[in-house]
Amino acid sequence: MASGGVASGGTVSCGVVVAVVTAVLLSGCVGGGSHTPPPSATATPTPSATSSAPAAIVFHPGGTAQQNLPFFDKVNHATLAAKPDALGRDFIDGLVAAGFAKTDMQVTVDTTTIGLKANSIQFSVRMGTECLIGQNGADAGGYHSQVVPVLSTGACLIGQTRPIDW
């Protein structure tokens, strides 16, 4: 029994030692972490303050499509806010009013070949060797945009587009 008591006591002692060592190690981590959060806390507000500055999203006339994507989105979201059922002309007119060149734009038709409302419409602005592409409609899941390279045809959209003659 003595050996059983010793073994049992040894196990408890070993468990206590492991618990104490673990507590000491963890307290060292907690103490070491106290100087880590202040730099993180300081670093986090600085980027947040910086990221709030780009709230002034502007058009970059000589810029790339990627640089102008936030402005493109801003204009198209404003068009949708003003007219939730916006058609192709609404998007084109909004983009022209915002400074994009109408001659660099394409838009798909608003109706199907049998006169029904198209499930989605696409519109684009060519900017150098890239295109800003916007799409809106129920089948598209709402508004989406992206930047893609200009097609080998020199166009941005595949398929039939309508003339922008207004």
Side-chain angles (χ1 to χ4, degrees):
M1 281 206 168
S3 66
V6 172
S8 175
T11 304
V12 171
S13 297
C14 187
V16 170
V17 170
V18 169
V20 170
V21 170
T22 302
V24 169
L25 289 175
L26 289 176
S27 69
C29 290
V30 171
S34 65
H35 62 77
T36 302
S40 296
T42 304
T44 302
T46 302
S48 296
T50 304
S51 66
S52 64
I57 298 171
V58 296
F59 180 53
H60 302 281
T64 66
Q66 193 64 50
Q67 289 171 324
N68 282 297
L69 182 61
F71 186 70
F72 180 78
D73 288 340
K74 177 182 174 183
V75 171
N76 294 325
H77 284 295
T79 297
L80 286 167
K83 188 173 182 182
D85 59 343
L87 299 174
R89 182 174 182 156
D90 300 312
F91 288 106
I92 299 301
D93 289 347
L95 291 165
V96 169
F100 289 97
K102 188 185 282 190
T103 56
D104 295 329
M105 296 184 193
Q106 289 181 284
V107 64
T108 60
V109 295
D110 297 320
T111 57
T112 66
T113 55
I114 59 171
L116 301 174
K117 182 180 177 187
N119 292 328
S120 70
I121 56 170
Q122 294 82 39
F123 44 94
S124 66
V125 179
R126 182 177 173 163
M127 300 195 80
T129 61
E130 297 178 310
C131 300
L132 292 163
I133 307 262
Q135 181 174 2
N136 188 60
D139 281 1
Y143 174 78
H144 299 282
S145 66
Q146 65 181 355
V147 174
V148 299
V150 172
L151 299 169
S152 62
T153 61
C156 291
L157 299 178
I158 297 172
Q160 183 179 359
T161 60
R162 69 185 246 200
I164 301 175
D165 55 6
W166 61 89

